[in-house]
Amino acid sequence: MPRLMRNLSTRYTHRHDELEREILCILRQSLPTTSAELSVQLRKNLSADVSHVDVKKILEKLAAQDVLKMREVTEDGMLGYTVLSIVENVSSQKTEDLVAHENTDTTSQEKTDDDEPEEDDDEVSPEKQPRLDIKNAEDIMSLISMPTIREKESKKVGEQILDLLSKQTSKEKSLAERFRSQGGAQVMEFCPHGTRFECDKINASGAAKCKKLHFKKIIQSHTDESLVDNSTSLSKENINESEIQTVNNSTKSAVETPGQVTGPGSGTELTLYPPQWIQCDLRYLDMTVLGKFAVIMADPPWDIHMELPYGTMSDDEMRQLGIPALQDEGLLFLWVTGRAMELGRECLQLWGYERVDEIIWVKTNQLQRIIRTGRTGHWLNHGKEHCLVGMKGNPRINRGLDSDVIVAEVRATSHKPDEIYGIIERMSPSTRKIELFGRPHNVQPNWITLGNQVDGVHLIDPQLIKAFRKLYPDGNSMKPNKT
């Protein structure tokens, strides 16, 4: 009798494990599903009568073990469950445990059917057990690893979409054909002489025609070609002896006979020098020693009634500056801000200039946005500065080349934008220029910079050196001249 009860219990446990394993397999292929649908599917798969109550018990057990998630529903007036999701890792481990448990029960059942003695029921055949375990585990793993119908369809659709996206559109094909290089993709080198005309002129000795790429010179009808830089970088082997001699003679002439210190339009040849500067106090410097200039630019330390990180000059000291001695005719660029805008206009009139224009510098920060909190301004924060343009006489200048607005980033205190030098050079090219109240960062080729912050005296023009040494033998122009 005990053996019979044990056999019945073993068969019930085996059937329960079989149902549980089959339920897990069904759930991996179709979610969500209800307990009633599971009962129907189990009857079809196992060809056996499976009650709804047994299915609900198994689902409750799996939910308690966190293998799946479900919720209660009512179907045809009966309480049931809807399985929402299944935890793959846990369910796989659960399936393996069921397989191992089933194999153990099968071996025990085989022993019982062979009428073995009761005391020998716990023994397991060492030959059959490993083979059964391996076979059943392989069957379960192959079943689990098989893709579902839904996964196969999703993969197929994904491959079709990728294939469609990788194909060229009609527009892309048209553009590729339009810009395809003639004769295939070939890399060609640019000719160092630039245009075909320059190349032919240099290689006019009967050499083979150059097959490199050349630029086409595009000049509008209103452009003055004399203002265009036509210099060409030539290699040493392309310069003959006569050209070298011509360059040497012109250089020697420029050194021996420097240009006259005159204003623009005088007709005399002008020698362009590297940057020159004089450390001086402009209140005491005798301006007549410097000669005449076509352009003057000044950024004075105006007294704008604010705390500033540098010394300022009074209004009377500004009015008495010797600027009229620097120029007979030409342009004066005068930086002003705050109350100095009115004082600057007054000074222009006193020095003999007519205000003809005005340049605005719109200040930006490092993000190229307009400054909202400027350093100056009593009532509003100033995000701009003004440069008054005064003219004396009738100088020769190029008109209408640039705009009167400069948009540039703010740098150190009182450091004006570099764009102003380009504007001035284009208006009055190849003329003598001087900057007042300059600092080391202001020195420019063909400019003389005056200020008390530049480093000593650095002059290159022989005539200017001679005149300055005669008036200032000790080279000190930071104090009034005793003579």
Side-chain angles (χ1 to χ4, degrees):
M1 186 66 180
R3 180 179 295 180
L4 178 59
M5 294 297 296
R6 186 173 60 184
N7 290 341
L8 290 175
S9 176
T10 301
R11 290 191 180 95
Y12 175 79
T13 303
H14 175 69
R15 176 177 173 77
H16 187 276
D17 292 343
E18 184 181 7
L19 289 176
E20 187 173 338
R21 186 176 65 255
E22 190 66 28
I23 286 173
L24 290 174
C25 294
I26 294 173
L27 291 178
R28 287 194 186 92
Q29 298 179 5
S30 60
L31 280 177
T33 186
T34 63
S35 54
E37 294 174 349
L38 281 174
S39 301
V40 175
Q41 189 65 33
L42 286 171
R43 295 189 191 102
K44 185 185 298 184
N45 293 352
L46 301 176
S47 300
D49 185 21
V50 179
S51 66
H52 189 202
V53 176
D54 291 340
V55 173
K56 291 197 296 182
K57 289 181 179 179
I58 294 174
L59 291 179
E60 291 171 354
K61 175 185 175 184
L62 295 175
Q65 296 174 349
D66 293 332
V67 176
L68 53 83
K69 295 182 180 180
M70 63 182 185
R71 59 182 174 84
E72 293 184 355
V73 294
T74 302
E75 300 175 321
D76 299 331
M78 297 179 60
L79 181 64
Y81 299 106
T82 296
V83 182
L84 302 175
S85 62
I86 181 171
V87 182
E88 287 295 335
N89 295 335
V90 179
S91 63
S92 301
Q93 184 63 36
K94 182 68 177 175
T95 305
E96 294 177 2
D97 294 342
L98 291 174
V99 172
H101 182 64
E102 180 185 2
N103 292 336
T104 304
D105 291 343
T106 304
T107 306
S108 177
Q109 181 64 31
E110 288 175 353
K111 284 188 174 184
T112 303
D113 293 340
D114 291 340
D115 294 332
E116 291 292 334
E118 184 176 352
E119 58 273 11
D120 296 335
D121 287 342
D122 295 335
E123 295 182 4
V124 180
S125 172
E127 298 177 357
K128 296 181 180 180
Q129 182 65 30
R131 289 197 297 270
L132 289 174
D133 289 347
I134 294 173
K135 183 177 182 302
N136 291 330
E138 290 177 352
D139 292 342
I140 294 298
M141 293 305 297
S142 62
L143 181 62
I144 293 174
S145 62
M146 288 179 61
T148 63
I149 300 298
R150 183 180 298 176
E151 290 174 344
K152 290 180 180 179
E153 290 296 329
S154 299
K155 184 178 180 181
K156 183 177 179 181
V157 171
E159 291 176 351
Q160 291 175 349
I161 292 175
L162 290 175
D163 183 58
L164 184 63
L165 292 175
S166 62
K167 290 183 178 179
Q168 274 189 324
T169 63
S170 299
K171 186 176 181 180
E172 290 173 340
K173 291 180 180 178
S174 176
L175 287 174
E177 289 295 329
R178 180 180 177 184
F179 295 103
R180 188 184 302 277
S181 301
Q182 296 294 331
Q186 298 177 353
V187 178
M188 298 183 67
E189 183 181 356
F190 285 104
C191 178
H193 307 304
T195 64
R196 173 72 69 180
F197 176 77
E198 293 293 335
C199 182
D200 293 341
K201 183 171 67 173
I202 294 172
N203 298 324
S205 57
K209 189 173 182 180
C210 179
K211 296 183 179 180
K212 297 180 181 180
L213 290 178
H214 297 83
F215 293 98
K216 183 178 180 181
K217 184 169 67 173
I218 302 176
I219 297 180
Q220 302 295 336
S221 57
H222 61 269
T223 302
D224 185 359
E225 291 197 39
S226 63
L227 301 177
V228 181
D229 183 9
N230 292 321
S231 59
T232 306
S233 176
L234 303 179
S235 56
K236 291 183 179 179
E237 58 269 22
N238 291 329
I239 302 178
N240 53 38
E241 293 297 329
S242 61
E243 290 174 333
I244 294 176
Q245 186 65 29
T246 302
V247 172
N248 292 337
N249 292 338
S250 61
T251 304
K252 182 178 180 181
S253 175
V255 173
E256 293 178 351
T257 58
Q260 300 296 321
V261 186
T262 59
S266 61
T268 58
E269 184 181 357
L270 178 71
T271 302
L272 304 181
Y273 292 102
Q276 303 179 80
W277 60 84
I278 300 174
Q279 185 184 30
C280 62
D281 189 328
L282 285 166
R283 295 174 297 178
Y284 311 130
L285 180 67
D286 186 355
M287 301 287 192
T288 59
V289 73
L290 302 173
K292 303 297 181 178
F293 295 88
V295 177
I296 303 172
M297 183 168 69
D299 183 18
W302 303 101
D303 183 7
I304 57 175
H305 299 171
M306 293 187 66
E307 292 185 4
L308 298 172
Y310 51 80
T312 59
M313 291 175 60
S314 66
D315 296 354
D316 288 336
E317 288 175 331
M318 291 300 306
R319 296 185 183 99
Q320 296 170 9
L321 283 177
I323 290 180
L326 295 174
Q327 203 170 52
D328 292 332
E329 63 176 5
L331 297 174
L332 170 61
F333 293 82
L334 185 64
W335 288 97
V336 295
T337 185
R339 62 176 291 273
M341 295 178 67
E342 288 74 22
L343 180 59
R345 287 178 170 85
E346 179 186 347
C347 289
L348 284 178
Q349 188 176 3
L350 288 175
W351 297 333
Y353 291 87
E354 176 190 0
R355 192 195 69 82
V356 294
D357 219 322
E358 184 174 330
I359 297 174
I360 304 295
W361 170 28
V362 179
K363 299 179 179 181
T364 61
N365 56 22
Q366 293 180 347
L367 301 177
Q368 305 305 313
R369 295 178 180 174
I370 296 177
I371 294 290
R372 301 292 182 184
T373 56
R375 297 171 182 169
T376 60
H378 289 285
W379 314 109
L380 294 173
N381 293 321
H382 291 175
K384 60 180 175 54
E385 287 194 28
H386 300 253
C387 182
L388 304 178
V389 182
M391 184 170 66
K392 179 189 289 188
N394 187 25
R396 290 173 50 189
I397 58 175
N398 297 318
R399 303 172 185 266
L401 295 180
D402 288 280
S403 171
D404 62 347
V405 177
I406 298 174
V407 180
E409 183 179 330
V410 172
R411 292 174 288 184
T413 302
S414 192
H415 193 161
K416 299 302 184 286
D418 296 335
E419 287 83 350
I420 189 66
Y421 296 103
I423 293 175
I424 293 174
E425 189 62 37
R426 286 186 288 272
M427 290 184 67
S428 180
S430 302
T431 56
R432 292 188 83 225
K433 302 175 180 68
I434 187 169
E435 181 169 3
L436 312 181
F437 306 100
R439 292 186 289 175
H441 63 256
N442 295 118
V443 297
Q444 300 284 330
N446 198 38
W447 284 73
I448 298 176
T449 305
L450 307 182
N452 59 6
Q453 296 185 26
V454 294
D455 186 17
V457 178
H458 179 76
L459 297 176
I460 301 176
D461 185 348
Q463 291 187 4
L464 181 56
I465 294 173
K466 181 179 179 180
F468 185 79
R469 286 180 177 175
K470 182 178 180 180
L471 191 59
Y472 298 97
D474 58 352
N476 186 1
S477 56
M478 291 292 293
K479 56 186 178 179
N481 192 351
K482 296 179 180 180
T483 60

